[in-house]
Amino acid sequence: MSEEAENIPEDVYKIARYRLEAMPAHIGLMIGEKGNYNKEQLKEELKNRTEVGKTFARMQLRTLQSFKEI
Amino acid sequence: MPETVLLTRPKHDLTTSYLHYWTGKLIKEAEKKGIEVIDLEKEKATRENLESYIDKKKPEILVLNGHGSKDRIGGHKNRPVLEKGGNESKSANTAIYARTCKSGADLAEACVGSGAKAYIGYRKDFIVPYNTQKSTKPQRDSLAEPVMEASNEAARNLIKGNKPKKAYRKSQEAYQEKINKVLTTYQLGKDQLLAALLHNKENQVLEE
């Protein structure tokens, strides 16, 4: 199943939300053609489960998974 | 070492302004080595200019910056400069570094299939964390720097004359070095810097 089609579990969104809350207010992310997002905008994207929100959620999960590999 | 390097660096939004600045460093390095640099910056980053300069100057290396998708790279105002099913044959006999989203998927294969020596790119979105308070001055954005420097390594090594496999490896090593540094030092915003470094490292691909 492609990553785009894969459902992201709610727990992952929850983790992503917590990590976003901890992010300093002056940090943003440039996500290619999708544009640049500040913290508040990322919160909306995550809440609305948009493609940007999904990308952000997957990034957080992968980061946490990588700690197991260290 | 290559004789001629062609770079595209549009500058029409925040992301491309960062790419524009960080590619400028590569241009200075190439010029110091006596390499002829074709700098298609800002509104000069067009398909017509890319094709014309490739035909005239036959650059060995293409460093293409901009927004992209699986099958194209955008230039000024995101108009395609290189695309699958369009002008990928123009990339024949070149080694390409594409700092764009997703073109490492289909466009990479199309270019190599049309005779490009190699294509280093990204198969998903290229993500850069940034300091919103420094965004008008990318050179002062220490949050973006590690991502941009690690991604610069691929182009830097091609410009030095290294084989694409080595350029790819050097960039991967640079990403890992930056990841290790983030893990062991304090930096505001390090969580998202780490996430972006890891994401870009894992999605960087080499097609030969």
Side-chain angles (χ1 to χ4, degrees):
Chain A
M1 188 186 283
S2 73
E3 193 177 75
E4 286 73 19
E6 198 179 323
N7 275 332
I8 299 174
E10 272 310 303
D11 282 350
V12 175
Y13 281 112
K14 209 182 270 186
I15 289 167
R17 199 170 65 242
Y18 289 143
R19 285 174 63 81
L20 193 47
E21 285 298 340
M23 189 170 96
H26 66 282
I27 307 293
L29 286 181
M30 289 182 262
I31 304 182
E33 200 168 46
K34 297 182 175 81
N36 40 285
Y37 298 84
N38 62 28
K39 181 173 174 172
E40 291 309 307
Q41 288 166 329
L42 283 169
K43 280 185 186 174
E44 277 303 299
E45 297 291 321
L46 200 60
K47 188 173 115 186
N48 295 326
R49 309 290 195 259
T50 63
E51 283 310 308
V52 169
K54 287 176 187 170
T55 297
F56 183 81
R58 285 191 201 102
M59 276 172 73
Q60 307 315 305
L61 177 63
R62 182 64 197 108
T63 303
L64 293 172
Q65 286 171 334
S66 74
F67 284 118
K68 200 170 82 166
E69 295 154 19
I70 293 171
Chain B
M1 201 176 303
E3 289 182 8
T4 309
V5 174
L6 182 149
L7 306 99
T8 62
R9 45 175 193 148
K11 188 184 177 186
H12 54 265
D13 60 18
L14 185 67
T15 303
T16 52
S17 74
Y18 272 63
L19 299 180
H20 181 272
Y21 169 75
W22 285 96
T23 304
K25 292 186 144 207
L26 297 170
I27 289 172
K28 286 179 187 157
E29 291 168 20
E31 285 173 340
K32 270 191 196 161
K33 290 178 169 34
I35 295 171
E36 181 182 10
V37 171
I38 303 162
D39 180 12
L40 301 182
E41 65 163 340
K42 300 177 187 174
E43 63 278 357
K44 289 192 288 185
T46 66
R47 175 177 172 150
E48 294 72 27
N49 280 339
L50 179 84
E51 292 181 4
S52 170
Y53 277 102
I54 287 176
D55 287 344
K56 271 192 293 206
K57 297 285 191 173
K58 307 214 184 310
E60 294 99 322
I61 309 289
L62 305 180
V63 178
L64 307 177
N65 291 277
H67 294 298
S69 64
K70 285 183 182 178
D71 56 5
R72 69 167 178 77
I73 294 172
H76 181 60
K77 297 283 168 96
N78 296 335
R79 293 185 196 114
V81 295
L82 187 68
E83 59 185 329
K84 178 183 172 182
N87 62 343
E88 68 267 46
S89 61
K90 288 293 181 186
S91 67
N93 302 312
T94 67
I96 302 162
Y97 176 53
R99 186 159 41 193
T100 73
C101 296
K102 298 183 181 172
S103 72
D106 299 352
L107 182 59
E109 192 182 337
C111 286
V112 171
S114 295
K117 290 178 187 166
Y119 189 113
I120 300 172
Y122 296 87
R123 59 187 176 90
K124 291 188 186 170
D125 288 321
F126 182 73
I127 294 177
V128 186
Y130 71 105
N131 185 333
T132 58
Q133 295 167 347
K134 303 256 167 87
S135 59
T136 57
K137 292 196 187 316
Q139 64 271 31
R140 294 204 187 146
D141 192 341
S142 60
L143 192 60
E145 181 186 357
V147 170
M148 299 310 299
E149 270 299 335
S151 66
N152 261 4
E153 271 306 288
R156 183 173 282 126
N157 275 273
L158 288 176
I159 289 167
K160 273 185 194 172
N162 287 329
K163 291 201 183 340
K165 206 163 260 175
K166 184 169 180 179
Y168 172 75
R169 181 170 52 83
K170 285 292 188 183
S171 187
Q172 287 282 297
E173 287 173 1
Y175 272 117
Q176 190 58 52
E177 187 191 304
K178 305 292 180 195
I179 287 168
N180 293 345
K181 189 171 178 193
V182 169
L183 284 171
T184 54
T185 56
Y186 173 77
Q187 178 165 4
L188 215 50
K190 65 184 272 179
D191 276 354
Q192 297 313 318
L193 172 55
L194 181 63
L197 284 165
L198 189 59
H199 173 90
N200 292 340
K201 175 181 183 264
E202 292 189 336
N203 288 294
Q204 190 186 51
V205 292
L206 165 66
E207 182 87 26
E208 282 184 308

